[in-house]
Amino acid sequence: METLLVIFKIFALVAGILLLAIVIFSIIQTLVAEVVSRRKNKGIKETLEKVLKGLEEELKSQIEDDDKKEDKKEKEDE
């Protein structure tokens, strides 16, 4: 009877250790996913900022070109 009790205690201890290992692994996996997500978001943010800067420069050059064309038209009209 005592042997069964010892075996049961060992089984319970092993099961508890496995459960604890699963919980720790799950926490680590969640943290790693969060770090990867932040890095990915940072990369996306940097890319979007570059695209916006490019668009801003393109719009500025188009506005300058339009202003030059309007100035030419005004000079020709005078």
Side-chain angles (χ1 to χ4, degrees), residues 27-62:
I27 291 170
I28 291 171
Q29 187 177 16
T30 304
L31 291 174
V32 168
E34 184 69 27
V35 169
V36 168
S37 174
R38 285 186 183 178
R39 285 186 182 168
K40 185 178 179 182
N41 288 342
K42 185 177 180 182
I44 291 172
K45 181 181 176 183
E46 290 173 354
T47 303
L48 287 175
E49 286 174 350
K50 288 178 185 176
V51 168
L52 286 174
K53 285 181 183 178
L55 287 173
E56 184 180 3
E57 291 173 4
E58 181 67 28
L59 285 173
K60 283 182 182 179
S61 69
Q62 285 181 1

Side-chain angles (χ1 to χ4, degrees), residues 2-34:
E2 287 181 27
T3 333
L4 277 171
L5 190 59
V6 170
I7 291 174
F8 180 73
K9 285 182 181 180
I10 292 173
F11 178 74
L13 182 63
V14 169
I17 291 171
L18 285 175
L19 185 62
L20 183 61
I22 290 170
V23 169
I24 291 171
F25 179 75
S26 175
I27 291 170
I28 291 171
Q29 187 177 16
T30 304
L31 291 174
V32 168
E34 184 69 27

